[in-house]
Amino acid sequence: MKMTKKMMCLLGSAMLLVTLAGCGAPEETRVQDGQQASEQQEQEGQPSKEQQDQTDQQQEDRPPTDSQGQESQPPSEEGMEESAELQNEEDVALAGESASIRVWGPILRIEDGNLVIDNRADVSFRGEMVITVDPEHTRILDGENGYPVEVSELNEGEAVFAYIGPAATMSEPPIVNASLILCKIPGDLRLPDYLQVTAMEEQPDGSYLLSGNNGIQYLVPMDCEILPFLTRNVVTLQDVQVGSSCLIWSDENRTAQKIVLFAD
């Protein structure tokens, strides 16, 4: 009987110890679990080394920005006549439908008296193009005043506008023939149009409505300046007839301001 009581006391003590140990275990486990959760959150919140390297590389590759957060644009190419391009974008397609096609771009180099340009127009061949300059048939004119210019006066990087024929060689780069090349055009001046007159209709007020083979109509006032090319002959508005080739400076409303008449 005494032995039984002793065994019961020992069992009770053992159960008490187990209970006390069980009460402490959850607390320790909770602490460990909390530490593991905290470490896990920190790890999730911080990118891995691989991710950090990728982020750094992306930031290096991103274009520089200005003070307003906008991406900085590269500077425009030297010698380009940007305003001339913008003023005449609407004419390129029309010019392409006529006998002559107008191309334009900066001069890359001058070889044997011919121009190699980077054609930026959406007609003919884009990119490098050789424009043949025939001393007998190619006119090179100052786009501001219509005066003749020598090839030797042109510079690399300068923008030129050339009227070429539809034919081109299959070489690389392609070679084309030019009838007229315009150069030295100020940035604030509208590019003149080179055309052949298809109609000349007199208006009640004495002005004329001139139609060109570029598909554009121009109102020519009575007092419009008419100049001959390379001659001292006096020319008037009546000398501008169907079939005449000319260079016309006009405003945004297509009102002619000056005409250079060629004696073809």
Side-chain angles (χ1 to χ4, degrees):
M1 188 72 176
K2 289 181 181 179
M3 183 64 68
T4 303
K5 287 182 180 180
K6 286 182 180 179
M7 289 181 65
M8 290 181 65
C9 288
L10 288 172
L11 287 172
S13 300
M15 290 179 64
L16 179 61
L17 289 172
V18 170
T19 302
L20 291 174
C23 290
E27 181 62 29
E28 184 179 354
T29 304
R30 283 196 296 271
V31 171
Q32 290 177 352
D33 290 345
Q35 290 176 347
Q36 290 176 357
S38 177
E39 290 175 1
Q40 185 176 0
Q41 287 176 355
E42 288 179 1
Q43 290 175 356
E44 289 178 353
Q46 293 179 355
S48 65
K49 185 176 185 306
E50 238 176 72
Q51 292 172 333
Q52 185 64 40
D53 291 343
Q54 289 177 357
T55 303
D56 293 343
Q57 184 62 39
Q58 288 173 355
Q59 289 176 348
E60 288 176 6
D61 295 341
R62 187 177 302 165
T65 58
D66 57 21
S67 59
Q68 296 180 346
Q70 298 176 345
E71 290 187 3
S72 301
Q73 298 298 325
S76 59
E77 199 169 336
E78 288 185 8
M80 296 304 296
E81 301 293 347
E82 295 179 359
S83 61
E85 172 198 356
L86 295 174
Q87 291 169 350
N88 291 274
E89 282 181 347
E90 72 276 12
D91 299 341
V92 172
L94 291 172
E97 295 172 359
S98 63
S100 294
I101 299 171
R102 185 170 68 202
V103 297
W104 73 276
I107 299 174
L108 299 177
R109 57 189 180 276
I110 300 175
E111 296 179 346
D112 301 324
N114 300 320
L115 305 182
V116 182
I117 73 166
D118 178 13
N119 179 31
R120 305 289 180 82
D122 292 326
V123 292
S124 190
F125 297 89
R126 285 185 66 90
E128 191 168 313
M129 172 186 289
V130 179
I131 299 179
T132 301
V133 178
D134 185 337
E136 299 295 328
H137 301 98
T138 305
R139 300 183 179 102
I140 304 178
L141 303 181
D142 186 307
E144 183 176 12
N145 51 41
Y147 295 163
V149 176
E150 297 294 331
V151 175
S152 58
E153 299 178 56
L154 301 177
N155 302 304
E156 292 184 5
E158 178 181 353
V160 295
F161 291 76
Y163 287 83
I164 65 174
T169 66
M170 298 303 293
S171 60
E172 288 291 341
I175 302 173
V176 297
N177 297 320
S179 56
L180 179 72
I181 298 173
L182 297 174
C183 60
K184 305 187 182 303
I185 303 167
D188 58 349
L189 181 69
R190 188 179 181 85
L191 186 73
D193 295 318
Y194 176 58
L195 56 90
Q196 187 175 54
V197 179
T198 57
M200 195 70 172
E201 304 172 11
E202 186 173 5
Q203 305 300 299
D205 61 356
S207 63
Y208 281 82
L209 187 64
L210 184 155
S211 300
N213 64 341
N214 58 354
I216 302 174
Q217 288 187 322
Y218 306 83
L219 179 63
V220 185
M222 290 179 59
D223 58 351
C224 180
E225 184 179 12
I226 313 292
L227 302 173
F229 182 70
L230 296 182
T231 71
R232 295 183 178 275
N233 298 335
V234 176
V235 291
T236 64
L237 197 51
Q238 285 69 35
D239 293 310
V240 183
Q241 301 176 357
V242 174
S244 298
S245 294
C246 58
L247 196 61
I248 299 181
W249 285 259
S250 64
D251 60 18
E252 63 277 4
N253 297 317
R254 296 301 183 188
T255 299
Q257 299 169 325
K258 180 171 68 174
I259 297 176
V260 169
L261 185 62
F262 300 110
D264 293 332

